Amino acid sequence: MKDNLLKPSGIKPGTAIYKVEKLEEKKALVVRGKKKYSSGVIIYMEKKTIYMWLNNCPHANLNLDLIEGKVQSYGGKLLCANHGAKFDPKSGKCVKGPCKNKNLEKFPFYIKKKYLIAK
């Protein structure tokens, strides 16, 4: 399963993805791997807890971000720019839209020397 996430994200295991101290509270961002057309990952932090998801809507297999690197949020939910699906940024669950009750895929990571590292 891990390879199923790492391949489309374009991020290899052991890659330093983002510096923890640069994360902003309740702001979602997308970081892509070096592979062209990779989906990348969505990183979200709330109350110093970090959540990371594969940037891929379970409805249409498209990235959530319309403007590269930024996932819109509305009412505390992540918004898929393609069909308006709304996701809880902490659980990854789709709470409204065409993929209701499906989930974003959790991306495996750990923190080392103040960086988020892909597992």
Side-chain angles (χ1 to χ4, degrees), residues 1-9 11 13 52-54 103-108 119:
M1 184 163 147
K2 189 165 89 168
D3 285 341
N4 292 343
L5 296 177
L6 295 170
K7 200 170 190 176
S9 73
I11 299 172
M52 196 175 306
W53 309 102
L54 183 65
N103 292 290
L104 296 172
E105 292 185 73
K106 193 176 278 192
F107 191 85
K119 276 191 179 178

Short mmCIF file of all heavy atoms in Angstrom, two decimals, residues 1-9 11 13 52-54 103-108 119:
data_model
loop_
_atom_site.label_atom_id
_atom_site.label_comp_id
_atom_site.label_asym_id
_atom_site.label_seq_id
_atom_site.Cartn_x
_atom_site.Cartn_y
_atom_site.Cartn_z
N MET A 1 0.82 -1.20 0.00
CA MET A 1 0.00 0.00 0.00
C MET A 1 0.86 1.26 0.00
O MET A 1 0.53 2.23 -0.64
CB MET A 1 -0.94 0.00 1.20
CG MET A 1 -1.87 1.20 1.17
SD MET A 1 -3.25 0.92 2.28
CE MET A 1 -3.52 2.57 2.81
N LYS A 2 1.98 1.22 0.72
CA LYS A 2 2.84 2.40 0.80
C LYS A 2 3.32 2.83 -0.59
O LYS A 2 3.30 4.00 -0.91
CB LYS A 2 4.03 2.11 1.72
CG LYS A 2 4.85 3.33 2.03
CD LYS A 2 5.76 3.09 3.20
CE LYS A 2 7.06 2.53 2.75
NZ LYS A 2 8.09 2.51 3.77
N ASP A 3 3.72 1.85 -1.44
CA ASP A 3 4.17 2.19 -2.79
C ASP A 3 3.05 2.83 -3.60
O ASP A 3 3.31 3.67 -4.44
CB ASP A 3 4.68 0.95 -3.52
CG ASP A 3 6.05 0.51 -3.01
OD1 ASP A 3 6.73 1.33 -2.39
OD2 ASP A 3 6.40 -0.66 -3.24
N ASN A 4 1.80 2.42 -3.34
CA ASN A 4 0.66 3.00 -4.05
C ASN A 4 0.53 4.49 -3.76
O ASN A 4 -0.04 5.22 -4.55
CB ASN A 4 -0.63 2.29 -3.67
CG ASN A 4 -0.68 0.87 -4.18
OD1 ASN A 4 0.08 0.49 -5.06
ND2 ASN A 4 -1.54 0.07 -3.60
N LEU A 5 1.01 4.95 -2.61
CA LEU A 5 0.95 6.37 -2.26
C LEU A 5 2.20 7.10 -2.70
O LEU A 5 2.12 8.23 -3.19
CB LEU A 5 0.78 6.54 -0.75
CG LEU A 5 -0.51 6.01 -0.15
CD1 LEU A 5 -0.50 6.19 1.36
CD2 LEU A 5 -1.71 6.71 -0.74
N LEU A 6 3.34 6.48 -2.52
CA LEU A 6 4.60 7.15 -2.82
C LEU A 6 4.76 7.41 -4.32
O LEU A 6 5.22 8.47 -4.72
CB LEU A 6 5.78 6.36 -2.27
CG LEU A 6 5.82 6.25 -0.75
CD1 LEU A 6 6.89 5.25 -0.31
CD2 LEU A 6 6.07 7.60 -0.12
N LYS A 7 4.35 6.46 -5.14
CA LYS A 7 4.51 6.61 -6.59
C LYS A 7 3.73 7.80 -7.15
O LYS A 7 4.31 8.66 -7.80
CB LYS A 7 4.11 5.30 -7.29
CG LYS A 7 4.66 5.18 -8.66
CD LYS A 7 4.44 3.78 -9.18
CE LYS A 7 5.22 3.59 -10.46
NZ LYS A 7 5.13 2.23 -10.96
N PRO A 8 2.41 7.92 -6.91
CA PRO A 8 1.70 9.08 -7.48
C PRO A 8 2.10 10.41 -6.85
O PRO A 8 2.02 11.45 -7.49
CB PRO A 8 0.23 8.78 -7.22
CG PRO A 8 0.20 7.79 -6.13
CD PRO A 8 1.49 7.02 -6.24
N SER A 9 2.55 10.38 -5.61
CA SER A 9 2.94 11.63 -4.94
C SER A 9 4.23 12.19 -5.54
O SER A 9 4.47 13.39 -5.50
CB SER A 9 3.15 11.42 -3.44
OG SER A 9 4.35 10.70 -3.20
N ILE A 11 7.07 11.52 -4.32
CA ILE A 11 7.97 11.72 -3.19
C ILE A 11 8.52 10.36 -2.75
O ILE A 11 7.76 9.45 -2.44
CB ILE A 11 7.22 12.40 -2.02
CG1 ILE A 11 6.72 13.77 -2.48
CG2 ILE A 11 8.13 12.53 -0.80
CD1 ILE A 11 5.80 14.46 -1.49
N PRO A 13 10.66 7.62 -0.38
CA PRO A 13 10.91 7.42 1.06
C PRO A 13 12.22 8.07 1.48
O PRO A 13 13.20 8.04 0.73
CB PRO A 13 11.00 5.89 1.19
CG PRO A 13 10.30 5.35 0.00
CD PRO A 13 10.50 6.36 -1.09
N MET A 52 -1.19 14.61 6.99
CA MET A 52 -0.70 14.60 5.61
C MET A 52 -1.50 13.61 4.79
O MET A 52 -1.73 12.47 5.21
CB MET A 52 0.79 14.24 5.58
CG MET A 52 1.43 14.60 4.26
SD MET A 52 3.23 14.34 4.18
CE MET A 52 3.84 15.24 5.56
N TRP A 53 -1.93 14.07 3.61
CA TRP A 53 -2.79 13.28 2.72
C TRP A 53 -2.21 13.29 1.31
O TRP A 53 -1.63 14.28 0.88
CB TRP A 53 -4.20 13.89 2.68
CG TRP A 53 -4.77 14.13 4.03
CD1 TRP A 53 -4.85 15.33 4.69
CD2 TRP A 53 -5.29 13.17 4.92
NE1 TRP A 53 -5.40 15.16 5.93
CE2 TRP A 53 -5.69 13.83 6.10
CE3 TRP A 53 -5.48 11.80 4.85
CZ2 TRP A 53 -6.24 13.18 7.19
CZ3 TRP A 53 -6.04 11.14 5.94
CH2 TRP A 53 -6.41 11.83 7.08
N LEU A 54 -2.44 12.22 0.58
CA LEU A 54 -2.12 12.21 -0.84
C LEU A 54 -3.05 13.23 -1.50
O LEU A 54 -4.25 13.27 -1.21
CB LEU A 54 -2.36 10.82 -1.44
CG LEU A 54 -2.00 10.66 -2.91
CD1 LEU A 54 -0.50 10.83 -3.13
CD2 LEU A 54 -2.45 9.29 -3.40
N ASN A 103 -12.58 8.67 1.68
CA ASN A 103 -11.50 9.36 2.39
C ASN A 103 -10.31 9.66 1.49
O ASN A 103 -10.03 8.90 0.56
CB ASN A 103 -10.98 8.49 3.54
CG ASN A 103 -11.99 8.34 4.64
OD1 ASN A 103 -12.29 9.29 5.34
ND2 ASN A 103 -12.54 7.14 4.77
N LEU A 104 -9.64 10.75 1.83
CA LEU A 104 -8.32 11.00 1.26
C LEU A 104 -7.41 9.93 1.83
O LEU A 104 -7.64 9.42 2.93
CB LEU A 104 -7.80 12.38 1.68
CG LEU A 104 -8.59 13.59 1.17
CD1 LEU A 104 -8.05 14.87 1.82
CD2 LEU A 104 -8.51 13.69 -0.34
N GLU A 105 -6.35 9.59 1.10
CA GLU A 105 -5.42 8.58 1.58
C GLU A 105 -4.35 9.22 2.45
O GLU A 105 -3.69 10.17 2.03
CB GLU A 105 -4.78 7.85 0.42
CG GLU A 105 -5.76 6.98 -0.35
CD GLU A 105 -5.09 6.17 -1.42
OE1 GLU A 105 -4.39 5.20 -1.07
OE2 GLU A 105 -5.26 6.52 -2.59
N LYS A 106 -4.19 8.67 3.66
CA LYS A 106 -3.20 9.19 4.60
C LYS A 106 -1.81 8.92 4.04
O LYS A 106 -1.54 7.83 3.52
CB LYS A 106 -3.36 8.49 5.94
CG LYS A 106 -2.61 9.15 7.07
CD LYS A 106 -2.89 8.48 8.38
CE LYS A 106 -4.20 9.00 8.93
NZ LYS A 106 -4.44 8.63 10.31
N PHE A 107 -0.93 9.92 4.10
CA PHE A 107 0.43 9.77 3.60
C PHE A 107 1.37 9.53 4.78
O PHE A 107 1.36 10.29 5.74
CB PHE A 107 0.85 11.03 2.82
CG PHE A 107 2.13 10.85 2.06
CD1 PHE A 107 2.13 10.30 0.81
CD2 PHE A 107 3.34 11.21 2.63
CE1 PHE A 107 3.31 10.11 0.10
CE2 PHE A 107 4.54 11.03 1.94
CZ PHE A 107 4.52 10.49 0.67
N PRO A 108 2.18 8.47 4.72
CA PRO A 108 3.05 8.13 5.84
C PRO A 108 4.26 9.08 5.96
O PRO A 108 4.97 9.32 4.98
CB PRO A 108 3.50 6.71 5.52
CG PRO A 108 3.43 6.62 4.02
CD PRO A 108 2.30 7.52 3.60
N LYS A 119 7.90 8.33 4.82
CA LYS A 119 8.27 6.97 5.30
C LYS A 119 8.49 6.05 4.13
O LYS A 119 7.83 6.11 3.14
CB LYS A 119 7.16 6.39 6.17
CG LYS A 119 7.24 6.85 7.60
CD LYS A 119 6.28 6.02 8.43
CE LYS A 119 6.35 6.44 9.88
NZ LYS A 119 5.43 5.72 10.70
#
